[in-house]
Amino acid sequence: MDYSIRVYKVEKEDSRLRGFVSITFDGEFCVKSIALKQSAKGNLYLEMPKYKDYGTEEYLPFFAFKDAEFRKAVTEQVIEAYGQIEEKYIDREETWKDEEFFYDLSVTPNRGNDTFKAEAAMKIQDVFVVQQMHVIQGWNGKTFVGMPQISQKGERVDIAHPVTGDFKHELESAVMEEYHKKLEFQQQNQQRKAAR
């Protein structure tokens, strides 16, 4: 899988924030707003953007590395790139193993919610996970797939999204197919229980 990293430099006094990082997987899917921070000991590290889980009141990461080797490689590449920034940002092209780009989806329908019909997560190449994708029913009754969002300057902005129209269509179709399969499975279970 090929991927590219963009590292933005931030110069902010009295802050541990040193920059922001975006990763684009195989030119198809981009994740953004990953913070590059400096610890009290001076070490640079990556911190994922977070959302508040309203059930537990915890702040959880939108993204997570699922492979320690991949996390280490990306962190080292980001730190090296950060050291080479001359102006505002720098781009790096990288490759992870020899596999073609692939992803798996996990879709969980929500009960009793008129707008958010399901939550979805995407695992990329078994090394990186994107949480908080949603199947959303719009005011016109149509359903669509919403991407993870954060508030920035009073507006909601996507922090992960397909890069190409073709991949957007592919991903939305795959999420909706999985959503309908899960709904059908739930209905069959309810019918079995009612028949007992």
Side-chain angles (χ1 to χ4, degrees), residues 82-140:
Y82 177 78
Q84 297 170 349
I85 295 174
E86 292 178 8
E87 301 232 350
K88 293 194 180 232
Y89 69 87
I90 191 168
D91 291 318
R92 295 274 304 256
E93 299 293 326
E94 303 291 344
T95 300
W96 180 253
K97 305 205 172 171
D98 293 332
E99 301 169 331
E100 292 291 316
F101 173 74
F102 67 87
Y103 60 93
D104 295 309
L105 295 170
S106 167
V107 180
T108 307
N110 294 331
R111 291 176 185 247
N113 193 316
D114 292 337
T115 304
F116 291 96
K117 297 297 185 183
E119 289 184 13
M122 178 170 73
K123 184 163 60 171
I124 300 170
Q125 215 84 5
D126 294 329
V127 297
F128 195 86
V129 173
V130 178
Q131 312 277 2
Q132 289 293 295
M133 295 163 50
H134 292 96
V135 175
I136 300 170
Q137 183 169 325
W139 58 268
N140 58 3

